[in-house]
Amino acid sequence: MGNMSTQENKELTYDAIVIGSGISGGYAAMELCTKGYKTLVLERGRMVEHGEYPTANSDTWELPNNNKVPYEEVEKHYSKQDRLNWWVNQDNKHWVNKDDEYPYDEVERFDWIRGHHVGGRSLMWGRHCYRWSDIDFEANAKDKVAVDWPIRYNDIEPWYNYVETFVGVSGQKEGLKQVPDGVFLPPFALNCAEQHLREAIQKVYPERVLTPGRIANLSEYNPEIHKGKRGQCQSRNRCWRGCPYGAYFSSQSATLPVAEETGNLTIRPDSVVSEIVYDSKTGKASGVKIKDAHSGEEIEYFARIIFCNASTIGTTAILLNSRSERFPNGLGNDSGELGHNLMDHHYGMGAVAVLPGLEDTYYKGRKPNGFYIPRFRNIDEETRQTEYLRGFGYQGQVGRGPNVPDGVMGTDLKDVIFKPGPYTVSIACFGEMLPYHENKMFLNFDKKDKNGMPLITFDAKLRENEMKLREDGVKCAVEMLETAGCTDIRTFNNLTAPGACIHEMGTARMGKDPKTSVLNKWNQMHAVPNVFVTDGACMTSSGTQNPSITYMALTARAVDYAHKQITEGVL
Ligand SMILES: Cc1cc2nc3c(=O)[nH]c(=O)nc-3n(C[C@H](O)[C@H](O)[C@H](O)COP(=O)(O)OP(=O)(O)OC[C@H]3O[C@@H](n4cnc5c(N)ncnc54)[C@H](O)[C@@H]3O)c2cc1C
């Protein structure tokens, strides 16, 4: 076919193609553009410019139904997206995919929560950023689970420094080996009740450290460092609507504007990438095929290197759909591991309680974070558990609620309503999930979506290790609350399906051996050297930490490596 003549068409040829414009794709685009590569970002969703956040300045009473989405609308459009019953609201529903427009199938339930638009989930994320440590990178090898990571903390540490500096992560140094300290902006400090909790827990359980959540919100703004369209956080606590101040890290506020300024960036929204094209003569990928989401036109673009950042599941679907004589089961899938080892974190377990005794204290204003208690199980011999492998961390908050007792009316109500209610603590566990080969996603080639893409199907579940870990997570939460003098402690352990924690990972894992992994230690395909995967698909285990800052660090590292390979004439 006319590949050669098309390839000569300059308009279709770039130095680099990035698939996806979310957290990792935006980062890849920025790094490539600043290194001088003419870069095409292909994004299947619509264009969203920075500031185009329709509900960012609305008060709740200005939103229909007091911000709730009517039941009929949820049933029709968000039956999978809103399975947890809290996530889709009037203020953010424009960022959430409609299930009837973007269907997928499940052998086992999988809550695949996402939004297709420029910026991807960088507009919607919770912004928590925690480094991984060697406890995570060595875990598979020590436990003889799945395959060993091909990197250690030393390999990624300088890249954490690099991305955290640009991203702007507020946090408090604690000197913990399981979540190493980073390059931090000042923390959004604990409130008085959270501080009380921290001190009370530390007296009895010194290894359980309650620290301010480390988040990608600018507690301090430095225009020299925080380039793009950034500004200081106003603690409006409307982050997931999109921030007009650019106070939290998103593709719109941070990476894409910097990429754009270089003059090397082209973004093509509404471009559904269907496959990466393999050229058997060169042994490399020649480019990608897209379908225009509106016109249905099919176009092939060409590039020297390709970065896959369509999110774990999106990238894996594209790779599985990229079939050729050389790769009948998906691009780079010699190992047969593509689509397998699907992981997420799991939650839905923890405790809530009342914290009495601080009636004479209060706090002022809002803050964009709560607290974090990093993992403290199985981090050394002393903390070893015999029941299960790995561990869990907690996210939580303590707040003083309103005082509106049931059944009180008139002047009696006026008397009580002006007094604040008690402090209540909520502490929610985030557990590690092991990489099981049996947990997988695959494509059903007999069923197609509206773009002609085979339907993604999930078959993954939590297993015995996760169940045991959950019970311990609840038990430890109660211990800490009791220690702090809490009353009315109520536990919960509502099993969530994989996907619900929105940290999907693992389906094109990194490894040392091409026989058992898809990517090498540079996020480069073992079998197709000009294709890099730097979203969550690359992860060899899941850790307990929110993963996106690790994707960013791996992305910057992989672009640096690709650039060196190109400069040396290897790629
Ligand atoms: C409510 C919520 C809270 C979260 N909280 C945190 C947190 O506190 N900390 C944390 O680390 N993570 C958090 N996450 C997860 C975080 O958002 C993801 O880990 C992160 O966005 C993944 O980055 P990505 O680049 O891989 O994918 P995304 O940001 O999802 O971007 C992928 C992009 O690729 C596009 N795409 C997909 N398929 C195609 C295709 N075929 N062709 C072209 N384009 C395509 C998509 O439209 C999308 O724009 C949260 C997520 C949500 C929704």
Side-chain angles (χ1 to χ4, degrees), residues 396-407:
Q397 61 222 353
V398 193
R400 200 159 189 186
N403 193 22
V404 193
D406 279 346

Side-chain angles (χ1 to χ4, degrees), residues 22 24 43-44 116-117 120-121 126-128 273 310 502 535 548:
S24 66
E43 164 57 54
R44 68 177 296 165
H116 291 329
H117 44 256
R121 287 178 293 186
R127 309 162 317 281
H128 281 263
V273 174
I502 329 181
D535 56 25
S548 306

Side-chain angles (χ1 to χ4, degrees), residues 548-562:
S548 306
I549 194 77
T550 300
Y551 307 164
M552 294 189 235
L554 290 172
T555 300
R557 180 175 176 269
V559 172
D560 181 70
Y561 171 77

Side-chain angles (χ1 to χ4, degrees), residues 1-10 12-13 275-282 284-289 298-303:
M1 60 166 252
N3 261 6
M4 284 317 288
S5 57
T6 331
Q7 207 157 358
E8 280 155 20
N9 185 340
K10 283 216 167 69
L12 300 176
T13 304
E275 64 178 290
I276 297 176
V277 181
Y278 179 72
D279 181 348
S280 57
K281 286 194 209 86
T282 59
K284 290 182 190 166
S286 57
V288 308
K289 283 188 185 162
E298 289 180 16
I299 309 173
E300 196 168 336
Y301 289 100
F302 305 91

Side-chain angles (χ1 to χ4, degrees), residues 370-552:
F371 62 75
Y372 187 68
I373 303 175
R375 168 181 169 182
F376 48 81
R377 294 299 209 204
N378 285 324
I379 56 175
D380 50 28
E381 271 314 308
E382 267 174 44
T383 58
R384 184 161 303 286
Q385 299 298 299
T386 50
E387 291 286 299
Y388 61 87
L389 301 171
R390 316 290 165 94
F392 47 83
Y394 296 96
Q395 285 178 28
Q397 61 222 353
V398 193
R400 200 159 189 186
N403 193 22
V404 193
D406 279 346
V408 183
M409 310 266 289
T411 46
D412 290 347
L413 179 61
K414 276 192 193 161
D415 283 344
V416 290
I417 209 168
F418 291 113
K419 292 186 198 126
Y423 282 101
T424 52
V425 188
S426 117
I427 170 164
C429 197
F430 283 59
E432 177 153 359
M433 183 173 173
L434 293 177
Y436 304 101
H437 179 81
E438 302 73 33
N439 279 352
K440 61 180 185 293
M441 59 165 285
F442 57 91
L443 298 184
N444 180 352
F445 289 95
D446 296 328
K447 252 174 141 178
K448 302 273 167 75
D449 69 11
K450 62 179 180 183
N451 294 306
M453 285 285 282
L455 221 57
I456 293 169
T457 310
F458 293 99
D459 185 6
K461 59 183 178 194
L462 302 178
R463 294 166 196 266
E464 202 187 334
N465 197 68
E466 288 76 38
M467 298 305 165
K468 289 193 171 145
L469 181 156
R470 294 176 72 89
E471 281 170 28
D472 195 32
V474 175
K475 180 173 146 271
C476 294
V478 172
E479 286 170 357
M480 290 187 280
L481 293 173
E482 282 176 344
T483 295
C486 291
T487 59
D488 302 287
I489 299 174
R490 278 168 293 142
T491 62
F492 54 96
N493 190 349
N494 308 317
L495 200 59
T496 51
C501 210
I502 329 181
H503 295 162
E504 334 77 66
M505 289 179 240
T507 41
R509 70 184 173 197
M510 294 164 80
K512 294 171 182 163
D513 185 351
K515 289 200 195 76
T516 55
S517 59
V518 180
L519 309 171
N520 69 14
K521 66 173 178 176
W522 302 107
N523 295 72
Q524 179 183 33
M525 269 195 171
H526 289 298
V528 190
N530 67 335
V531 175
F532 292 80
V533 177
T534 67
D535 56 25
C538 74
M539 304 292 275
T540 315
S541 67
S542 75
T544 54
Q545 302 90 321
N546 308 54
S548 306
I549 194 77
T550 300
Y551 307 164
M552 294 189 235

Side-chain angles (χ1 to χ4, degrees), residues 29-39 255-266:
M30 176 175 76
E31 293 299 301
L32 288 160
C33 287
T34 48
K35 285 182 163 49
Y37 293 89
K38 292 280 176 204
T39 302
T255 47
L256 293 179
V258 175
E260 203 160 21
E261 219 165 80
T262 64
N264 291 326
L265 177 70
T266 305

Side-chain angles (χ1 to χ4, degrees), residues 45 49 65 92 99 135 225 260 262 324 334 336-337 379 392 450 472 504 518:
E49 299 282 358
N65 299 322
N92 72 338
D99 290 313
I135 295 168
I225 301 172
E260 203 160 21
T262 64
S324 57
D334 291 338
E337 293 296 335
I379 56 175
F392 47 83
K450 62 179 180 183
D472 195 32
E504 334 77 66
V518 180

